């Protein structure tokens, strides 16, 4: 057989690239009550700010369990964590307990006062010294935290979904604005997610090898499903980030192989009203977490 008669090798087929995916159990365990760090309810009079309650939507934006997962997976003790779109005390609380330093962007003073009251109720003094708040919006965090440019190991962001209002949770917008400091902050400080300004700001804050964690939730809006994650990933790549991991954060408790989903009073009322033309009530079972990395050779806290 001559060389011309030999069969040609079959061209190699490139391996299919699968999305790196993991699942975290992160039930919504964030409290909004004044407790001492020993776990007992504070006795006697409390600050007036402690009587203000954060609505369910903002209290669940970042749970303490999710914050702990993010911090322990991407940072080491002593690292600096920054939070954008801060709506509750979960990230600062978790960072202080895990021996990290943390800075949260809180542009609205009543919300900052409320978060500070919650932290003082649950953290000892030595842990309080590890956390700070800065009066800047998320898209201006590179200015508000300019003294730490290029030093942050992790930026956590749970941006509000475009078009989301307090009516999504069965509460009239006016009531939420009066009772929830985070809702009022969203309105007064224009906390809408601005990818073109926020992503470069987060990129400048992070050290090489640092991570940006963007937490989103798909939702129905005007009869269609809105999932902001794909667009955020595309825009983040344009800003210079590398897409590292996709995490499914299960928000509800799990017992065996059962998800313990509880419906609110508004959801039960909708189920009983057979004349309602609205979509069936949606239970927020999970959140999507996009882990993005600033490329570089830095080690420090990247894992």
């Amino acid at each position: 057989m001559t060389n011309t008669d030999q069969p040609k090798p079959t061209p190699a087929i490139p391996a299919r690239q699968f999305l790196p995916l993991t699942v975290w159990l992160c039930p919504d365990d964030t409290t909004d009550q004044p407790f001492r760090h020993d776990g007992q309810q504070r006795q006697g009079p409390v600050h007036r700010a402690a009587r203000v309650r954060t609505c369910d939507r903002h209290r669940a934006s970042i749970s303490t369990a999710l914050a702990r997962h993010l911090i322990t997976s991407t940072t080491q003790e002593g690292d600096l964590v920054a939070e954008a779109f801060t709506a509750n005390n979960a990230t600062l609380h978790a960072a202080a307990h895990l021996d990290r330093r943390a800075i949260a962007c809180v542009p609205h003073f009543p919300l900052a006062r409320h978060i500070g009251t919650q932290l003082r109720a649950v953290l000892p003094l030595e842990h309080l010294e590890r956390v700070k708040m800065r009066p800047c919006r998320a898209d201006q965090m590179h200015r508000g935290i300019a003294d730490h440019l290029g030093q942050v190991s992790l930026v956590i962001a749970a941006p509000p979904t475009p078009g989301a209002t307090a009516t999504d949770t069965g509460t009239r917008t006016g009531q939420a604005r009066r009772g929830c400091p985070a809702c009022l902050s969203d309105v007064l400080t224009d906390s809408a997610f601005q990818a073109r300004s926020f992503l470069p700001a987060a990129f400048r804050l992070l050290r090489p090898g640092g991570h940006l964690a963007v937490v989103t939730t798909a939702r129905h809006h005007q009869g269609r499903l809105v999932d902001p994650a794909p667009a955020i990933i595309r825009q983040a790549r344009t800003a210079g980030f590398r897409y590292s991991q996709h995490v499914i954060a299960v928000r509800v408790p799990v017992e065996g192989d059962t998800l313990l989903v509880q419906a609110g009073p508004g959801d039960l009322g909708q189920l009983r009203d057979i004349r309602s033309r609205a979509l069936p009530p949606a239970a927020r079972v999970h959140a999507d977490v996009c882990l993005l990395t600033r490329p570089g050779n830095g080690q420090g806290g990247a894992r």
Side-chain angles (χ1 to χ4, degrees):
M1 178 180 292
T2 61
N3 292 338
T4 57
D5 296 330
Q6 293 180 355
K8 296 181 180 180
T10 304
I13 300 177
R16 180 179 298 178
Q17 297 295 320
F18 291 98
L19 181 68
L21 181 66
T22 188
V23 177
W24 291 344
L25 300 182
C26 307
D28 292 331
D29 55 355
T30 305
T31 60
D32 198 33
Q33 296 291 337
F35 290 97
R36 292 202 304 260
H37 65 271
D38 57 5
Q40 299 180 359
Q41 190 168 2
R42 186 187 298 272
Q43 302 296 327
V46 297
H47 297 285
R48 291 185 179 181
R51 299 177 183 175
V52 179
R53 293 290 299 265
T54 305
C55 68
D56 292 340
R57 180 165 62 93
H58 283 102
R59 189 164 59 250
S61 60
I62 296 288
S63 68
T64 305
L66 177 55
R68 291 179 66 91
H69 271 292
L70 289 170
I71 293 171
T72 55
S73 299
T74 60
T75 67
Q76 296 179 349
E77 291 185 6
D79 282 350
L80 179 61
V81 177
E83 182 181 27
F85 305 102
T86 305
N88 58 43
N89 66 327
T91 296
L92 296 179
H93 186 191
H97 267 297
L98 295 170
D99 294 328
R100 272 72 164 175
R101 296 170 296 135
I103 301 177
C105 299
V106 190
H108 188 48
F109 175 73
L111 177 59
R113 181 176 59 184
H114 175 69
I115 293 175
T117 301
Q118 296 295 312
L119 291 174
R120 288 190 296 271
V122 296
L123 289 177
L125 181 60
E126 59 270 21
H127 287 180
L128 280 173
E129 297 174 351
R130 302 171 183 169
V131 298
K132 300 177 182 178
M133 287 181 280
R134 297 287 175 88
C136 62
R137 295 190 330 197
D139 58 342
Q140 299 173 348
M141 61 191 311
H142 62 297
R143 299 176 182 175
I145 316 179
D147 51 329
H148 295 288
L149 285 179
Q151 302 174 14
V152 177
S153 297
L154 171 65
V155 174
I156 297 177
T161 303
T165 63
T167 55
D168 297 332
T169 60
T171 305
R172 288 184 299 173
T173 305
Q175 292 177 341
R177 291 181 185 177
R178 289 193 298 268
C180 173
C183 286
L184 186 60
S185 176
D186 288 345
V187 174
L188 297 181
T189 62
D190 188 20
S191 296
F193 179 62
Q194 304 291 341
R196 293 185 177 181
S197 52
F198 166 68
L199 292 173
F203 191 91
R204 294 182 62 182
L205 273 182
L206 288 169
R207 58 167 180 75
H211 300 280
L212 167 64
V214 183
V215 183
T216 64
T217 301
R219 53 185 289 274
H220 280 92
H221 179 63
Q222 296 181 350
R224 64 188 183 91
L225 182 66
V226 178
D227 184 4
I232 291 176
I233 294 170
R234 291 194 300 268
Q235 294 162 338
R237 284 173 169 165
T238 302
F241 284 99
R242 177 172 56 84
Y243 184 32
S244 300
Q245 180 118 40
H246 187 89
V247 177
I248 301 297
V250 180
R251 291 182 176 274
V252 298
V254 177
E255 184 175 316
D257 57 355
T258 303
L259 299 177
L260 304 182
V261 182
Q262 294 182 343
D267 298 333
L268 293 176
Q270 183 176 329
L271 286 173
R272 289 196 297 267
D273 188 359
I274 61 176
R275 299 168 298 176
S276 175
R277 295 183 179 180
L279 291 172
R284 298 191 176 188
V285 175
H286 80 278
D288 296 291
V289 184
C290 301
L291 282 178
L292 307 152
T293 304
R294 174 176 175 171
N297 297 325
Q299 300 297 326
R303 297 183 183 177

